[in-house]
Amino acid sequence: MYLIGPGHQRGHVLLIAGDAAVRRGTVHLAPSANLAALAMVPASVLLGSGLPTDTVCLDGARDPNTVLARLRTAAATPGPLLLYLSGRLTADRRGRGLYLALAGTARAAVRYTALPWDWLVGELRGRPAGLTTVLLDLAADKEAWPLLQEVGGLPGLPSHEVYGVVCPPGFAAGSGTVSGYTRHWIEQLRRSPSRPADVQLHALAAGAAGLPPGALVLPTARELGMRPGPQQQPLPQQSDRQGVWQEAGGAGPPSYGTTGGVPGGGSGGDPRPHIHALATAGRHSEAAALARAWEEHVRHAHGSSSPEAVQWAEIRADLARMAGDFLLATGLWIGACRVRLAAQGAAAPEVYAAAAGALYCWTQLGDRASAVESGPELLALLRTLPALDPRYLRLAQARLDVLRVPELPRAVPT
């Protein structure tokens, strides 16, 4: 029941640290360090509310039922709720369910020693819309990562604001100290004269965190574009890039009919299914070589600014994204967008789709120097699109400003 009057409402902040992500004796994600840093921020600032707020830090819990009890208490609060989760995601080998590993989680007994993700989803399902924010700083182990890849993200929580990152197995998120995403979230809260919106905090933190290639960002810059304002072009979701693979055409050069003994779509055939299959199988260099060959053939046959050529440039951009080469992908998307803009004008939806591809891939750049170098060109392009939601230009400019500031030294644990 949520019928308590506004004068009696309270906010709630629940910070949960699961098990650390450790590989070969090296701590890649330290949830306890993240919790300690967040606990130093006033609850009203974390929550973004002036209501009286209860704060609970749950660190080192070993019993899933203890965590469940805290979740139920937090979910029952009538006011705004911030739930922060940090730790290692794992999976049950038998049931293939997703779990948050706790301090006492045993590999052979995940179902009994870790917190089922379904429990979290179930407890928050009855919360009123607009009152719940879930903040995640997680690392997936080798059991959980394939499950996340299959579903394309974290399951559940569709009606709540969910922000965060999930690093793939084997990549350090904080090297035993506060992880980059949480650290930059805190730094933005401290340095801003007025509290930024959660979506802006997320964009800045994810952009400056130095995330490893392939890290899952929730939501992506592309997904943030699904809330268009009046007379504004929405930015398409990542899945919309399937259109790239459905539009490119042109007969290919006979000399590139095969690669590694596998048919590659010879003269008169359609090479796209084969190229896409190579990329999804992890054979990225072969896929990229074939795509370059077809692009060169189409450019020679139809011209470098032809629709056929720009479609192949977009395919190469998507292949670079799939391979984790976000710098190349950003450059290719920017080039494709400029060609489309010149040929089709600023009202064409394909122009905004290409701009969205460039913006998304730029936000995934983990190398600070590369992001700073390519950022001004991207911003110049975005400024030429009059129907673009101005929020995206502001967020991109804010991220570039943050990246240009020398990184603050990390605290050394005593």
Side-chain angles (χ1 to χ4, degrees):
M1 297 292 290
Y2 301 94
L3 302 179
I4 300 176
H8 299 280
Q9 283 192 353
R10 298 183 65 87
H12 197 101
V13 173
L14 176 57
L15 313 177
I16 299 177
D19 191 26
V22 181
R23 187 183 185 193
R24 297 176 182 175
T26 300
V27 178
H28 286 186
L29 178 67
S32 296
N34 288 345
L35 243 65
L38 276 172
M40 299 298 293
V41 182
S44 60
V45 177
L46 282 176
L47 192 60
S49 171
L51 290 173
T53 300
D54 301 310
T55 302
V56 176
C57 296
L58 198 58
D59 190 5
R62 305 176 70 87
D63 181 7
N65 290 294
T66 299
V67 182
L68 178 61
R70 293 294 188 182
L71 280 171
R72 284 179 175 170
T73 300
T77 185
L81 167 64
L82 170 66
L83 172 62
Y84 173 83
L85 295 177
S86 184
R88 174 172 61 91
L89 286 178
T90 190
D92 171 26
R93 292 174 179 172
R94 182 177 178 182
R96 293 187 58 77
L98 194 65
Y99 293 78
L100 176 69
L102 302 179
T105 295
R107 177 66 262 158
V110 168
R111 296 174 64 189
Y112 309 103
T113 59
L115 179 74
W117 189 257
D118 288 342
W119 287 11
L120 171 69
V121 174
E123 293 303 320
L124 296 180
R125 185 173 290 127
R127 292 276 302 164
L131 287 180
T132 306
T133 299
V134 180
L135 182 60
L136 307 170
D137 196 339
L138 304 167
D141 63 17
K142 62 181 181 180
E143 282 76 29
W145 188 248
L147 193 58
L148 297 179
Q149 297 296 96
E150 287 178 14
V151 301
L154 284 167
L157 310 178
S159 62
H160 303 292
E161 289 192 74
V162 181
Y163 303 102
V165 295
V166 184
C167 289
F171 288 94
S175 300
T177 60
V178 180
S179 63
Y181 180 75
T182 295
R183 181 163 52 87
H184 282 287
W185 188 286
I186 295 172
E187 287 178 3
Q188 288 300 318
L189 286 174
R190 288 176 172 169
R191 73 173 52 170
S192 301
S194 58
R195 188 190 187 282
D198 288 337
V199 62
Q200 186 174 9
L201 288 169
H202 164 71
L204 295 174
L211 298 173
L216 179 63
V217 180
L218 306 165
T220 65
R222 190 80 54 86
E223 291 166 337
L224 291 176
M226 295 306 292
R227 309 166 189 170
Q231 305 300 320
Q232 294 170 339
Q233 292 279 355
L235 301 185
Q237 294 187 23
Q238 190 66 30
S239 60
D240 290 343
R241 295 270 37 92
Q242 287 295 334
V244 169
W245 295 94
Q246 297 168 356
E247 296 171 359
S255 58
Y256 292 99
T258 63
T259 175
V262 181
S267 179
D270 186 352
R272 289 168 293 164
H274 175 61
I275 293 175
H276 191 268
L278 287 173
T280 55
R283 298 165 64 179
H284 298 293
S285 60
E286 297 173 63
L290 274 176
R292 282 196 302 270
W294 279 82
E295 183 189 23
E296 285 301 317
H297 167 76
V298 170
R299 288 165 67 95
H300 179 76
H302 300 280
S304 59
S305 299
S306 65
E308 295 86 354
V310 74
Q311 288 164 7
W312 275 102
E314 292 174 340
I315 286 178
R316 288 186 57 213
D318 206 47
L319 289 171
R321 175 194 63 81
M322 295 171 70
D325 190 347
F326 293 107
L327 180 59
L328 175 61
T330 299
L332 288 170
W333 278 122
I334 289 175
C337 185
R338 289 197 180 281
V339 173
R340 286 194 178 278
L341 182 62
Q344 299 175 254
E350 294 86 356
V351 172
Y352 287 84
L359 178 58
Y360 168 80
C361 291
W362 183 71
T363 64
Q364 302 304 297
L365 277 172
D367 180 67
R368 179 185 292 258
S370 298
V372 169
E373 181 180 358
S374 55
E377 185 179 6
L378 173 64
L379 284 165
L381 174 64
L382 297 181
R383 291 190 181 101
T384 65
L385 305 178
L388 182 73
D389 188 330
R391 292 178 299 171
Y392 308 117
L393 181 59
R394 290 197 298 266
L395 289 175
Q397 182 66 65
R399 184 197 182 209
L400 183 60
D401 292 342
V402 169
L403 292 173
R404 283 171 169 167
V405 176
E407 190 171 11
L408 299 176
R410 298 187 179 184
V412 178
T414 57

